[in-house]
Amino acid sequence: MAGAGALRDSDAQVCVESVLETVAECARDMEARTKRGGGRLRGPFLRHVALLAERVHTKRYPFNIAAFSQGIDIELTSNVTFFVGENGSGKSTLLEALAENCGFNVEGGSRDHNFSDRKDRSELASALRLSWLPKVSDGFFMRAESFYNFASYIDQSGSSRERYGGRSLHEQSHGESFLALFANRFDRGIYILDEPEAALSPQRQLSLLSIVHRLETEGRAQFLVSTHSPIILAYPGAVLLSLDGDAICAVRYKDTDHYRVTKQFLDSPDRYFRHLFSEESDDEGSS
């Protein structure tokens, strides 16, 4: 057992060393920006999110999503907040509405990016009230599903590539372009990330957490993140909010399905396969 434990420690050390190497240059850039940008900010900046009852249409989407059925009343007490839940639970819908209220492009980007065809505000965004202390305008909305559109906009608009690592985002792999955005574009402000793990290997997810840690512990940034990744959800000190019930409520990391199912599967994949494939055989036999 001792040998196995030593092997795991060695593997972890190699992985961490690789992660640190990946973000070393980013760290130097951040330190330089800190000196240029002045003193420490205090977070969280966005403190409270509430749904205005008079603007709710209970039978209409997205207000009929189960997690919104009792309203929305979120007190943000950490610089890092994760939103968890099954597909269709309302995570992306909520984050998009928050991003819209921050003035960010709804397909991804900051206040300076204007490439979405949407003209009117979404009903949910119009029904939310956001409370800030202090109010910040800098930040970014990153959504994995429309990142291609954002990368194309950057190329077509002639925006400085230096803010994204000096290369076109389209000239990098999907995962490399995600990390280039995180490492070079993120600095001061509020960052809303919708499933950032979509193109990231487990090691690159750790690199993202290193970037998050550096910014949020310096009080420079607040992160609101929707994710299915048990690696990202393990970030220490984060608040996890679940949308799987009929209200948005706090949940412990080890009580999430993301953690429990992943751990149980890794502990005994054969048991899962046995049940999954047995059900397939039963379905074929009854057809």
Side-chain angles (χ1 to χ4, degrees):
M1 295 294 291
L7 180 61
R8 287 196 295 272
D9 290 343
S10 175
D11 289 344
Q13 182 178 353
V14 170
C15 182
V16 168
E17 288 175 352
S18 179
V19 168
L20 292 177
E21 182 179 350
T22 300
V23 300
E25 185 176 348
C26 166
R28 290 191 292 270
D29 290 343
M30 286 181 181
E31 288 172 5
R33 291 198 296 265
T34 300
K35 293 177 181 178
R36 294 195 302 268
R40 173 189 173 97
L41 298 176
R42 253 185 102 189
F45 314 124
L46 178 59
R47 298 300 184 99
H48 188 252
V49 178
L51 189 62
L52 302 174
E54 64 272 19
R55 298 184 183 179
V56 172
H57 304 280
T58 55
K59 295 184 180 180
R60 196 157 67 203
Y61 179 86
F63 303 106
N64 58 3
I65 291 176
F68 306 156
S69 62
Q70 297 184 34
I72 296 174
D73 188 3
I74 303 172
E75 199 76 36
L76 296 167
T77 58
S78 170
N79 281 342
V80 181
T81 304
F82 294 126
F83 296 86
V84 300
E86 258 300 339
N87 296 331
S89 61
K91 305 183 303 300
S92 296
T93 302
L94 177 58
L95 288 193
E96 181 183 300
L98 292 176
E100 192 172 347
N101 274 290
C102 291
F104 301 153
N105 190 290
V106 294
E107 289 190 30
S110 68
R111 287 173 172 263
D112 300 328
H113 302 123
N114 300 294
F115 61 94
S116 174
D117 292 332
R118 183 185 296 178
K119 303 301 181 184
D120 300 325
R121 296 185 70 197
S122 69
E123 288 194 75
L124 182 57
S126 299
L128 290 179
R129 180 179 62 199
L130 277 58
S131 301
W132 303 79
L133 188 64
K135 179 69 163 57
V136 298
S137 58
D138 293 335
F140 199 94
F141 176 38
M142 185 271 177
R143 59 186 313 167
E145 69 176 28
S146 57
F147 186 77
Y148 180 91
N149 296 342
F150 170 76
S152 298
Y153 170 80
I154 294 301
D155 279 353
Q156 294 165 8
S157 65
S159 299
S160 173
R161 292 184 177 182
E162 293 305 315
R163 301 197 73 185
Y164 305 95
R167 296 170 56 196
S168 167
L169 295 172
H170 279 315
E171 293 175 1
Q172 305 175 60
S173 73
H174 206 181
E176 287 175 330
S177 63
F178 273 35
L179 200 61
L181 171 69
F182 303 145
N184 295 281
R185 180 61 177 78
F186 288 12
D187 186 12
R188 297 163 67 96
I190 183 168
Y191 294 93
I192 302 174
L193 314 180
D194 187 17
E195 299 185 4
E197 76 278 8
L200 299 179
S201 68
Q203 185 166 307
R204 295 304 192 195
Q205 291 179 40
L206 293 174
S207 296
L208 168 59
L209 292 184
S210 180
I211 294 168
V212 169
H213 177 73
R214 190 175 302 276
L215 289 173
E216 71 96 355
T217 54
E218 291 178 356
R220 299 173 64 79
Q222 179 182 14
F223 291 88
L224 307 178
V225 184
S226 165
T227 181
H228 294 289
S229 167
I231 292 177
I232 292 177
L233 287 173
Y235 184 82
V239 171
L240 278 64
L241 299 178
S242 173
L243 283 75
D244 274 335
D246 59 1
I248 301 172
C249 58
V251 61
R252 296 189 307 171
Y253 171 61
K254 291 188 176 181
D255 290 335
T256 64
D257 286 341
H258 307 72
Y259 172 84
R260 291 190 300 102
V261 173
T262 301
K263 185 178 186 305
Q264 290 169 4
F265 176 81
L266 293 176
D267 286 343
S268 182
D270 291 342
R271 181 177 60 184
Y272 275 78
F273 291 144
R274 186 166 58 250
H275 287 291
L276 286 170
F277 300 156
S278 174
E279 290 179 4
E280 288 182 2
S281 299
D282 292 343
D283 290 342
E284 291 175 0
S286 61
S287 60

